[in-house]
Amino acid sequence: MAGGDRVVSKMSGLFGVPEQQRLRLNGNHRTIVKPDRMNQEQHLRLLRIVKQSGDIRRAWRRQFHHAEKFKVTPGPHAPILVTELRSDDINVTWEQAYNRAVALASSDEVAVSDCRNSTVTSSHRETDILVSVHSVENIMNLDERCEAVIKGSFAQHQRQNGLMLLIVLIGAAHERARDVVQSWLPAPPYRSLSIEGVASPGEFSDLLAAWAGVMIDRDPVRWPRSTSGLSYGTEGSDLV
């Protein structure tokens, strides 16, 4: 917009143009479109727009290539993440909560399956998430079977590289029970091990489903998705 323009009215020249795309300059109708120096404001503004447009196009290309790289390859079966349930005293409510979590975490792109599933046993796949579930009451009573299962799960975790060990304590007093479990294990830090407490089996379902999602997102090559989930190309969208 030229401050001395007598050819085009302000209303006509600016109608429908967003404020962030307006540039007010000293000059008239002719001089502002023919800059005679490279450092004039309209010339620098044009260079910035060209650069920003190039950055947006490069971001779009990165997004396309990223999605292509991790696109699910068509095949008879989806990639599988294997889970295993272990406890000193498994009951039907916990099994139901566990099965619900496996179903919640599964999708058309990645199948989450228990190690007892026939598709897993036939392929001899190793467990990816070992879930050791225990009642707060058994832990607070220092149950020997409970301690043995937790220590055995920890020993497997140390032997198997890449295994995620999730120790889940179910009950209202899970914060105090966590300290007991911690006393049965070596001092942290740990590699891919989490001691979690929940008040009910329903919360156990949501917790396990969330951890399965974390594991899948951690290794997009082993468990690919058809889209990357990354948001490229949003900068400078007012210019598009």
Side-chain angles (χ1 to χ4, degrees):
M1 171 187 169
D5 196 341
R6 297 292 182 267
V7 178
V8 180
S9 68
K10 181 186 296 187
M11 176 63 184
S12 177
L14 298 180
F15 181 77
V17 180
E19 180 63 34
Q20 65 269 25
Q21 293 187 22
R22 299 178 183 182
L23 178 63
R24 292 168 173 81
L25 300 168
N26 293 323
N28 59 37
H29 187 76
R30 292 179 182 274
T31 60
I32 67 169
V33 298
K34 295 182 179 180
D36 54 12
R37 298 186 309 276
M38 293 190 66
N39 62 348
Q40 282 191 280
E41 194 171 357
Q42 61 266 50
H43 181 247
L44 297 177
R45 171 69 175 267
L46 176 61
L47 292 179
R48 287 197 298 270
I49 292 174
V50 171
K51 180 182 182 302
Q52 191 173 22
S53 298
D55 292 341
I56 292 172
R57 290 190 179 94
R58 282 190 291 274
W60 286 342
R61 285 196 295 270
R62 288 198 304 272
Q63 182 183 20
F64 173 78
H65 291 312
H66 188 281
E68 284 294 312
K69 181 178 180 181
F70 296 126
K71 182 177 290 185
V72 175
T73 303
H77 302 291
I80 296 178
L81 179 140
V82 180
T83 61
E84 179 180 344
L85 180 64
R86 192 176 295 180
S87 179
D88 59 294
D89 186 23
I90 292 179
N91 59 57
V92 67
T93 305
W94 293 357
E95 283 275 11
Q96 289 173 337
Y98 171 79
N99 290 340
R100 176 176 177 270
V102 169
L104 282 174
S106 296
S107 67
D108 293 338
E109 298 170 336
V110 180
V112 180
S113 298
D114 179 76
C115 63
R116 296 162 290 184
N117 188 300
S118 58
T119 60
V120 175
T121 55
S122 61
S123 61
H124 305 289
R125 289 185 172 91
E126 287 188 324
T127 297
D128 297 301
I129 304 180
L130 176 57
V131 190
S132 187
V133 185
H134 308 275
S135 72
V136 166
E137 183 179 359
N138 285 356
I139 294 172
M140 297 306 295
N141 289 335
L142 304 179
D143 187 279
E144 293 182 357
R145 292 182 306 168
C146 183
E147 181 179 358
V149 171
I150 290 176
K151 287 184 174 180
S153 299
F154 181 80
Q156 179 177 340
H157 171 262
Q158 295 301 293
R159 291 192 306 269
Q160 183 182 332
N161 186 37
L163 175 65
M164 174 69 201
L165 174 57
L166 184 61
I167 302 174
V168 183
L169 320 176
I170 300 182
H174 53 77
E175 288 294 339
R176 288 188 293 134
R178 187 197 305 266
D179 295 333
V180 176
V181 172
Q182 186 66 74
S183 70
W184 292 340
L185 302 176
Y190 303 119
R191 168 186 50 79
S192 299
L193 183 154
S194 182
I195 305 173
E196 305 270 4
V198 295
S200 67
E203 293 180 22
F204 166 49
S205 289
D206 296 334
L207 175 68
L208 177 53
W211 270 109
V214 168
M215 290 288 290
I216 292 169
D217 292 338
R218 182 179 297 168
D219 193 344
V221 174
R222 182 177 178 189
W223 297 295
R225 295 179 186 268
S226 61
T227 57
S228 67
L230 299 178
S231 180
Y232 288 123
T234 55
E235 64 278 19
S237 57
D238 59 309
L239 301 175
V240 179

